[in-house]
Amino acid sequence: MEWAVAGALGGWAAARLAGADRLQFAEAWAVPLLSFTPQVTAAAWASALLLRGTGPAAAAAVAGAALTAAVGPRAVPSRQPPAAGPVLRVLTANLLVGRAAAEVVVELACRKHADVLFVQEFTVQAAARLRRAGLDDLLPHRVTQPMPHGSGIYARYPLRGGPPAAPVSAARCTARLDLPSGQFVQLACIHAAPPKPVWSPAATARWRGHLSALPAPGDSPLILAGDFNATLDHAQFRRLLRRGYVDAASQAGNGLSLTWGPRPGRRLTLLAIDHVLIDRRCAVLTTSAHWLTGSDHRALYAELRLPAPHSRRDQASPKP
């Protein structure tokens, strides 16, 4: 029995390090399972201490060390680039089909002095409740798509609605944010299709297609924020990062902060699937996750420093 436990942990470590979810014949089972790699890492170390046999305990310790090498860096703050532009405070919240308490969302945006709020699972009813709670006074500019699973971007500064996202993309809503400094930032509110029903190859392929269709950063700063339905233990998500992004929470050493739980209103959270992605020229000052009454997600806040404009051309780019 002890060797079975050690073998399972070793197999998990091998699958994670090899990126088994990159393989189409394996992704239907690998994608949901590898989501829980941080928990399995803790279980590996616990097994190394609790297993009585020397061999199984050593094998569990090796698996724990290998998984820690993959998971550990996201809990360590990274050195930031020398960004010299303005500070931008962003907040993202999945409203669970509009069920999140609007007052809590607005209070959090006010307390954090958010400049931009990204919302997912946004509805017409949620828009009305947010307006009654005072969001339009706090963030008067918006680009929204209120549907049962719509998205929206609210901002302190003027927004210009972006071109429609590709049908297969997780970018449900896009906009350009014009800052008082004359600089502008491209924004995309993300809600990737979840890879469910679990073990479904079609669902996993749809999830993969949504993430792979997201754009790479361009000349101007680009921020992707929202519910990616993906963790840093998914090869597809790491492939997106390699296109020129960093995960803000991991940059701040908070990459193990969990943002989703299976039951709304409960404190149990299991996965870190909400993210703020920024291009590598931006610096992360701080991030934090916050309980969101009525939702099964926690809101994610990030304080960023943008790069200084490279040229006058960056400030006067043609309107989208």
Side-chain angles (χ1 to χ4, degrees):
M1 182 64 181
E2 290 194 347
W3 273 114
V5 172
L9 293 171
W12 196 295
R16 168 59 180 84
L17 296 181
D21 54 322
R22 294 178 303 158
L23 308 173
Q24 291 192 23
F25 71 86
E27 67 178 358
W29 61 264
V31 166
L33 286 179
L34 290 179
S35 302
F36 296 94
T37 294
Q39 292 89 335
V40 175
T41 303
W45 286 115
S47 298
L49 295 174
L50 297 175
L51 293 177
R52 296 183 178 182
T54 302
V62 170
L67 290 171
T68 299
V71 170
R74 68 192 74 165
V76 179
S78 301
R79 184 177 180 179
Q80 299 302 305
V87 171
L88 189 69
R89 301 172 180 88
V90 304
L91 184 68
T92 179
N94 183 310
L95 304 181
L96 187 58
V97 199
R99 290 167 57 185
E103 296 79 5
V104 173
V105 175
V106 175
E107 187 277 331
L108 180 59
C110 181
R111 175 159 46 91
K112 289 297 184 178
H113 305 287
D115 300 307
V116 181
L117 169 66
F118 300 85
V119 288
Q120 305 88 51
E121 298 200 22
F122 183 60
T123 64
V124 173
Q125 294 78 13
R129 288 195 295 270
L130 289 169
R131 183 172 59 252
R132 289 194 296 269
L135 185 61
D136 287 358
D137 297 327
L138 184 67
L139 303 174
H141 306 279
R142 64 185 182 273
V143 174
T144 62
Q145 295 178 339
M147 300 178 293
H149 290 276
S151 297
I153 302 173
Y154 288 81
R156 187 180 305 277
Y157 309 118
L159 287 171
R160 305 174 190 269
V168 296
S169 174
R172 302 297 181 90
C173 189
T174 63
R176 165 179 150 169
L177 176 70
D178 293 321
L179 299 174
S181 64
Q183 190 175 4
F184 69 89
V185 183
Q186 301 290 348
L187 307 173
C189 187
I190 307 301
H191 193 192
K196 66 178 186 180
V198 179
W199 323 127
S200 166
T204 310
R206 182 173 61 250
W207 167 86
R208 173 168 37 85
H210 275 201
L211 293 178
S212 64
L214 289 172
D219 291 337
S220 60
L222 173 59
I223 297 173
L224 309 181
D227 177 5
F228 288 75
N229 273 305
T231 77
L232 284 158
D233 293 301
H234 291 127
Q236 186 63 54
F237 189 73
R238 297 194 300 276
R239 185 177 296 122
L240 173 62
L241 294 180
R242 288 195 295 270
R243 300 186 69 187
Y245 295 104
V246 293
D247 178 73
S250 293
Q251 289 289 297
N254 297 323
L256 293 177
S257 294
L258 307 178
T259 64
W260 175 84
R263 302 187 65 183
R266 299 299 177 91
R267 293 282 171 167
L268 176 66
T269 49
L270 296 177
L271 304 176
I273 60 175
D274 299 271
H275 304 275
V276 174
L277 301 190
I278 58 176
D279 71 50
R280 294 171 182 168
R281 297 168 294 173
C282 301
V284 180
L285 305 181
T286 187
T287 70
S288 54
H290 303 269
W291 297 108
L292 198 56
T293 305
S295 178
D296 53 352
H297 287 253
R298 297 175 74 182
L300 183 62
Y301 168 78
E303 187 172 328
L304 316 169
R305 185 174 291 279
L306 302 174
H310 292 296
S311 67
R312 296 177 61 87
R313 178 180 62 83
D314 291 338
Q315 299 185 42
S317 179
K319 297 177 183 179

